[in-house]
Amino acid sequence: MSEPSATRELDITLERNSPVPLYYQLAQSIERAINDGVLAPGDRLENELSLTTRLGLSRPTARQAIQELVNKGLLVRKRGVGTQVVRSQFSRDERLTSLNADLVQAGKVPSTQLLGFTVGPLDPDVASALDAAEITDQEFIRVRRLRLADEVPLAILTNYLPASFELSREALEHRSLYATLQSLGVNLKIAHQRISARLMTDDEAELLDEEVPSACLTVDRITYDDTGRFVEFGRHVYRAAQYSIQSNLMV
């Protein structure tokens, strides 16, 4: 996990005789600081106790103000860190490219932690998501990775590939899955994917450095090569506050 940044104490003035509720005044002051760049992405807000003592507010008032900005996607609460300004969201077009390459193109520095590498039969829920008539392999490689952007956790990537590809754990520790497949002569051609949203599990929240409950985007993707052969099934979990998928629609 990345080291928490220093806590930022804002110069905030509240009008106690104003008809505008104090929680809303506080929320507006913090939002203004974010929009003006006084609070930068990743900066930590001072804790509720410090904020209420300094400004003479009740903790429910401060909590309501912070929750207002969490709901807007401007702040995020993290276990063991506190309340932070949300980092800029990574937006990705719907194309058959690797997340690693897209992050580099966006000017970010990707890194990967390999969480698991096993060989065996498909998990029942994964087998049910595939067209069994097209899949003749009995053994599959299961690769689970944590992808980070600028040292911030972004996604948990789990991929299932036929064991006939003979991928090695060592190869995937140093390059992306798609780059590794291309080095083996695999030409990826088409993929079908389904995008959903749900709440993270406790394990996912811990890996992605989020508090529970937190929302995530999930993507199930089935990929084929230029001969129509099944290549891989990906089941990916993304931090909803830092990831979006962009589609172009035409009539």
Side-chain angles (χ1 to χ4, degrees):
M1 302 297 177
S2 57
E3 291 295 323
S5 59
T7 301
R8 296 298 303 273
E9 186 175 290
L10 299 177
D11 182 12
I12 296 174
T13 301
L14 302 175
E15 297 292 338
R16 299 184 184 275
N17 295 325
S18 170
V20 179
L22 290 175
Y23 88 87
Y24 189 77
Q25 291 185 49
L26 177 57
Q28 288 292 294
S29 296
I30 298 172
E31 183 172 354
R32 192 177 307 113
I34 294 172
N35 292 335
D36 292 346
V38 177
L39 283 176
D43 281 349
R44 283 193 299 157
L45 197 66
E46 62 181 302
N47 63 51
E48 288 180 8
L49 181 58
S50 172
L51 197 64
T52 53
T53 301
R54 186 166 65 86
L55 299 178
L57 295 171
S58 68
R59 293 192 72 174
T61 297
R63 192 172 297 119
Q64 187 176 3
I66 292 171
Q67 188 60 47
E68 182 89 4
L69 299 177
V70 170
N71 293 342
K72 284 186 173 184
L74 298 176
L75 296 177
V76 62
R77 290 189 173 102
K78 295 183 179 180
R79 286 191 306 263
V81 175
T83 303
Q84 279 186 302
V85 179
V86 171
R87 296 177 185 271
S88 57
Q89 191 178 65
F90 172 62
S91 181
R92 189 181 186 191
D93 291 334
E94 283 193 298
R95 295 180 296 142
L96 185 51
T97 54
S98 75
L99 177 58
N100 193 81
D102 288 344
L103 287 170
V104 171
Q105 189 174 21
K108 297 182 180 294
V109 179
S111 57
T112 303
Q113 295 177 15
L114 188 58
L115 304 175
F117 185 96
T118 59
V119 179
L122 285 176
D123 296 337
D125 61 324
V126 173
S128 65
L130 298 172
D131 185 349
E134 297 181 3
I135 312 300
T136 58
D137 302 80
Q138 299 299 314
E139 294 287 299
F140 290 81
I141 300 169
R142 178 182 182 271
V143 183
R144 191 169 188 243
R145 297 162 295 156
L146 178 66
R147 179 61 47 78
L148 301 91
D150 296 336
E151 300 184 352
V152 177
L154 177 65
I156 302 167
L157 311 175
T158 306
N159 298 81
Y160 300 82
L161 307 94
S164 57
F165 283 121
E166 299 183 349
L167 297 176
S168 70
R169 183 186 186 102
E170 292 71 23
L172 294 173
E173 287 177 338
H174 298 97
R175 65 198 312 182
S176 72
L177 174 61
Y178 280 9
T180 302
L181 288 170
Q182 289 169 356
S183 72
L184 296 175
V186 179
N187 296 312
L188 302 175
K189 184 65 175 180
I190 191 170
H192 306 294
Q193 68 180 18
R194 182 180 65 185
I195 303 168
S196 306
R198 59 171 172 81
L199 295 177
M200 295 180 190
T201 65
D202 290 347
D203 174 61
E204 291 165 348
E206 183 174 0
L207 286 171
L208 294 173
D209 201 14
E210 291 279 10
E211 289 193 339
V212 177
S214 289
C216 63
L217 288 178
T218 65
V219 177
D220 282 2
R221 177 189 286 184
I222 305 173
T223 307
Y224 303 89
D225 68 8
D226 53 0
T227 69
R229 176 182 57 163
F230 166 76
V231 175
E232 61 99 14
F233 173 75
R235 178 157 283 172
H236 303 161
V237 178
Y238 300 90
R239 297 176 75 172
Q242 298 192 29
Y243 183 87
S244 65
I245 298 174
Q246 180 175 303
S247 300
N248 295 315
L249 306 178
M250 298 180 65
V251 175

